[in-house]
Amino acid sequence: MGATGANDGFVCQRCGDDGPTVSERGRISLMALLCERCWKAHADEIAIHEGATDTPRPEPDPDDVAPYEPPRCPHCKAEVSPCLTNYDRWIHLATRDYPAKDVPARYRWRLMAVVARHSSVPTGFVAVRVRGIEPLPSDLVRPAHRAVCLSPDAMDEVEQEPVSDL
C-alpha cells in the first residue's frame, strides 16, 4: 500500500486529513498524529484543562542594554518561571520544588529534559503535568505558580482544591 499524500502516509487521527501539515505532535513524546488545525484545537483543550494558559516569556531585544529582570506574577509580584509544555503552551511555575503532599494534585508539574534525536545531551526543559501515578508524599514536584501565589483569588482557589482531591 502506498503513501496517500505528500507527508509519508501520515493521516490526521482526528479529521482524517492527509495533507502536508499532518505530523507527529508532542515535544518529548509522540502525543498524536494531527494536522495543524486539529493540533491547535487539541492543545488548546488540554491547556484549558491543565491551566497552561499563560503568555510566553518575552524575547529580549538583542540591541537592548537594559538589565533583564526575571518575569514576575502580575498579582503578587513574586518571581515566576515560565515553561513550555509538551503540547506547545506556556505555564508559569514556582521557582522551586515542593513535596507532593504540600501541593494539590491539579497543580503538580515536573520539568523533563528534552534531548535531541540520537543524542543524550539535553537541549532544554519541558513542563509535564504529574498525573496517572500519584507521587509519594515526599516526592518533589514543581507547583504551578497559582498554587503558591499570594493573591486572594489564587489562595481561595487553592484552599478549595484539596477538598476535591479527597
Side-chain angles (χ1 to χ4, degrees):
M1 186 171 237
T4 58
N7 61 2
D8 297 326
F10 290 152
V11 176
C12 178
Q13 293 173 328
R14 204 173 208 186
C15 69
D17 182 27
D18 65 348
T21 65
V22 177
S23 66
E24 297 175 341
R25 306 296 178 157
R27 290 202 170 262
I28 59 172
S29 64
L30 171 66
M31 289 180 72
L33 286 169
L34 296 172
C35 64
E36 189 66 34
R37 182 174 43 88
C38 291
W39 171 247
K40 182 177 176 356
H42 182 65
D44 287 345
E45 289 170 11
I46 296 171
I48 290 169
H49 178 71
E50 293 187 346
T53 57
D54 294 316
T55 57
R57 181 180 211 159
E59 289 295 324
D61 183 11
D63 296 330
D64 189 8
V65 294
Y68 184 74
E69 295 295 325
R72 299 203 170 267
C73 172
H75 306 290
C76 69
K77 306 301 182 213
E79 193 174 312
V80 297
S81 177
C83 295
L84 190 62
T85 64
N86 189 34
Y87 44 89
D88 298 329
R89 299 301 181 264
W90 290 87
I91 180 83
H92 288 167
L93 299 180
T95 54
R96 69 179 186 91
D97 292 338
Y98 290 81
K101 66 180 180 179
D102 296 337
V103 181
R106 179 174 183 230
Y107 301 103
R108 295 177 186 159
W109 292 78
R110 285 207 172 104
L111 295 178
M112 303 290 291
V114 176
V115 294
R117 193 173 284 199
H118 306 297
S119 173
S120 61
V121 178
T123 58
F125 291 93
V126 170
V128 178
R129 176 123 176 271
V130 176
R131 61 178 171 215
I133 298 175
E134 286 292 317
L136 295 174
S138 61
D139 285 350
L140 295 178
V141 295
R142 182 72 56 104
H145 174 71
R146 189 87 175 148
V148 296
C149 185
L150 297 176
S151 75
D153 292 340
M155 290 173 65
D156 289 342
E157 178 184 320
V158 174
E159 284 176 5
Q160 296 301 319
E161 197 60 36
V163 174
S164 65
D165 280 350
L166 297 176

